[in-house]
Amino acid sequence: MASLEEYRQKLEQGEFDEYLCTLYPPQKLNEQRSRYLSLLGGFEARFGNGEVRLFSAPGRTELGGNHTDHNHGLCLAASVDLDLIAAVRPTKEPVIRIQSEGFEGTDVVDLTDLTPREEDRERSCALIRGIAARMTALGFSVGGFDGYITSQVPQGSGLSSSAAFEILIVAVLSGLYNKGGVDPVTAAKLSQFAENAYFGKPCGLMDQMACSVGGCIFLDFEKPGDPRVERIPLRFASFGYALCIVATGGSHADLTEEYAAVPAEMKAVAELFGKEVLREASLSDVMAQAKEIRRVCGDRAWLRAVHFFTENERVKEEVAALKQGDFEEYKKLVLASGRSSFQWLQNAYSCASPKEQGVVVALAATALLLGNEGAYRVHGGGFAGTIQALVPFARLDAYQTGIEAVMGEGACHPLSIRPVGGVEVLCKTPEFH
């Protein structure tokens, strides 16, 4: 640990510049230096002067494998340079207190009672309690701390702010009380448990893995307890393209049932074959039993099952294209993924609110602005939130101006892939969790 004043002095004198440039693009250095100084000020205002430690966890972008992880499928994902950062101080009291910038009130979790609480569902304190409970059950140490958090990962952005928050909490508890001994896969599993069992959202493991491992990764969840992870070297800039996330203005609030219906319908199809998840069946099974599936599970369930299998194959093809440096083929696969999500998975908008179709509007506007250049798709969970667009650098300014004229100022976020996941920052040797 170092004192607030020591951190301030070194940040202002540029002693951490090289370190910060390992996490953020060099052009954002001044912004990030100021951001960390603001974080220290926020902590001091809430919890007082003294020593602190600093942690960071990135948001993630889904590159391929839309809604496949929860049925043990394949995914391609990457951590991004937008992140959550925290200043923390361990305490002797068995209580975690977290103040998040821009939010009223402090999340307070008593570590002597880690049972789930119904009144905490869909609140961040449920995630904290669930992570602490699971770490305790697995034999890890947990303890109290005061923390101040600031985020560049907007809620409902499709960059998985909840997974980034979870991985941040695990990184803090790992660093403070376990000598950084929680590995990335375990960190992801802890986070998924908290989100499923305490927060109340039946998510897969892809979001947490991407935030925890860092970089661009291929994920195979055939064995979800031991997922296969392969790093894929990728810099979109090397192909002359920018990776953009476009916020559609929609909120993920009240969409839990929409998300839950996707894995539920896929698993209902699997059950007709005596299987637990679709990964254990095949596309030929789904085609051969189409009438029975439609009768028992409904048309949408059959369509979603078809999406699962075809999307899995696309992920394999995307990985092969990137390894071969065939970016034109990769763009074609991104477009095909977007069409499948829209038409078969049907997560471009909520059937309960057909007048609200921000994702569809953003996709249509992007198609008109880019024409045959670039690629675009539904991003993340869908229904609301964001789309993803691959934009040629030569068209980036015009695209950003055009799409923000439709979706609103500040809607377009060009991103960079970040090479690491949850990490303790501004220490002499980076400790990647």
Side-chain angles (χ1 to χ4, degrees):
M1 286 195 295
S3 71
L4 288 163
E5 290 307 317
E6 287 176 309
Y7 274 126
R8 284 195 183 100
Q9 183 178 10
K10 290 183 178 182
L11 281 164
E12 290 169 347
Q13 293 177 351
E15 293 186 34
F16 290 130
D17 287 0
E18 183 177 355
Y19 190 107
L20 290 173
C21 286
T22 66
L23 299 182
Y24 312 100
Q27 63 268 28
K28 295 184 179 180
L29 176 59
N30 290 337
E31 172 192 341
Q32 293 299 332
R33 192 188 297 123
S34 298
R35 182 172 169 237
Y36 276 85
L37 288 168
S38 178
L39 174 75
L40 296 172
F43 181 93
E44 184 176 23
R46 177 61 182 83
F47 297 109
N49 205 345
E51 293 187 332
V52 294
R53 289 169 70 172
L54 305 179
F55 293 83
S56 163
R60 71 96 184 97
T61 183
E62 172 200 282
L63 302 175
N66 195 218
H67 275 287
T68 53
D69 57 334
H70 45 58
N71 269 257
H72 300 187
L74 308 178
C75 302
L76 185 65
S79 57
V80 299
D81 59 292
L82 298 183
D83 67 345
L84 279 73
I85 56 175
V88 303
R89 179 184 297 151
T91 62
K92 295 182 179 179
E93 186 181 6
V95 175
I96 293 174
R97 300 180 185 86
I98 293 179
Q99 178 69 52
S100 295
E101 183 182 45
F103 290 85
E104 294 184 4
T106 303
D107 287 314
V108 180
V109 174
D110 184 348
L111 298 176
T112 64
D113 179 12
L114 295 177
T115 55
R117 297 184 178 183
E118 185 63 30
E119 64 270 22
D120 287 348
R121 288 174 75 84
E122 301 192 18
R123 298 176 58 205
S124 55
C125 54
L127 298 174
I128 301 167
R129 192 182 306 277
I131 288 168
R134 190 60 175 167
M135 290 185 71
T136 300
L138 294 179
F140 292 106
S141 298
V142 300
F145 65 86
D146 293 333
Y148 187 86
I149 294 176
T150 181
S151 174
Q152 286 187 325
V153 186
Q155 288 188 320
S157 66
L159 299 175
S160 206
S161 59
S162 59
F165 180 84
E166 294 154 15
I167 295 301
L168 182 66
I169 299 302
V170 176
V172 170
L173 290 173
S174 176
L176 294 185
Y177 295 107
N178 296 276
K179 298 181 179 180
V182 181
D183 66 89
V185 175
T186 300
K189 293 178 184 176
L190 291 166
S191 300
Q192 183 198 29
F193 171 85
E195 190 154 343
N196 290 174
Y198 279 66
F199 188 82
K201 183 178 178 181
C203 67
L205 191 58
M206 186 269 285
D207 292 353
Q208 290 82 2
M209 286 291 290
C211 294
S212 182
V213 175
C216 177
I217 53 175
F218 165 67
L219 296 163
D220 185 341
F221 292 110
E222 183 175 16
K223 299 177 181 179
D226 185 25
R228 176 188 166 198
V229 184
E230 180 183 357
R231 289 186 178 273
I232 308 297
L234 175 61
R235 288 184 66 251
F236 286 108
S238 67
F239 298 105
Y241 279 78
L243 172 67
C244 295
I245 297 298
V246 179
T248 68
S251 170
H252 285 155
D254 302 322
L255 287 174
T256 299
E257 289 186 7
E258 294 276 17
Y259 295 126
V262 177
E265 290 180 10
M266 290 183 179
K267 290 176 181 178
V269 173
E271 288 174 4
L272 287 182
F273 303 106
K275 310 296 185 182
E276 182 180 351
V277 292
L278 276 180
R279 179 65 177 265
E280 299 169 355
S282 69
L283 180 58
S284 60
D285 291 333
V286 171
M287 291 295 292
Q289 298 296 321
K291 288 183 179 180
E292 182 67 4
I293 293 169
R294 294 175 64 196
R295 184 185 69 83
V296 176
C297 304
D299 289 349
R300 189 174 68 174
W302 183 83
L303 289 164
R304 285 176 165 172
V306 170
H307 165 82
F308 173 85
F309 290 110
T310 56
E311 186 77 346
N312 259 5
E313 290 303 311
R314 268 188 295 274
V315 171
K316 296 178 187 177
E317 294 168 358
E318 287 171 342
V319 170
L322 290 173
K323 286 182 175 180
Q324 295 165 10
D326 190 346
F327 200 67
E328 289 303 310
E329 177 64 17
Y330 175 72
K331 288 193 299 177
K332 292 177 183 177
L333 293 165
V334 168
L335 288 167
S337 173
R339 287 192 296 270
S340 182
S341 293
F342 197 146
Q343 297 170 357
W344 298 346
L345 182 62
Q346 298 182 28
N347 67 333
Y349 63 92
S350 169
C351 292
S353 304
K355 290 186 177 181
E356 299 176 13
Q357 298 193 29
V359 167
V360 183
V361 171
L363 290 170
T366 297
L368 293 170
L369 288 165
L370 295 182
N372 294 325
E373 298 184 71
Y376 41 89
R377 64 193 285 274
V378 178
H379 182 248
F383 301 108
T386 59
I387 69 160
Q388 181 184 90
L390 294 171
V391 183
F393 279 137
R395 300 286 300 276
L396 181 58
D397 288 344
Y399 174 74
Q400 192 162 4
T401 299
I403 197 67
E404 291 188 355
V406 178
M407 306 308 302
E409 185 177 354
C412 183
H413 302 277
L415 302 175
S416 296
I417 293 178
R418 163 170 153 160
V420 296
V423 63
E424 182 168 2
V425 299
L426 305 191
C427 47
K428 290 184 179 179
T429 302
E431 297 179 11
F432 303 137
H433 305 293

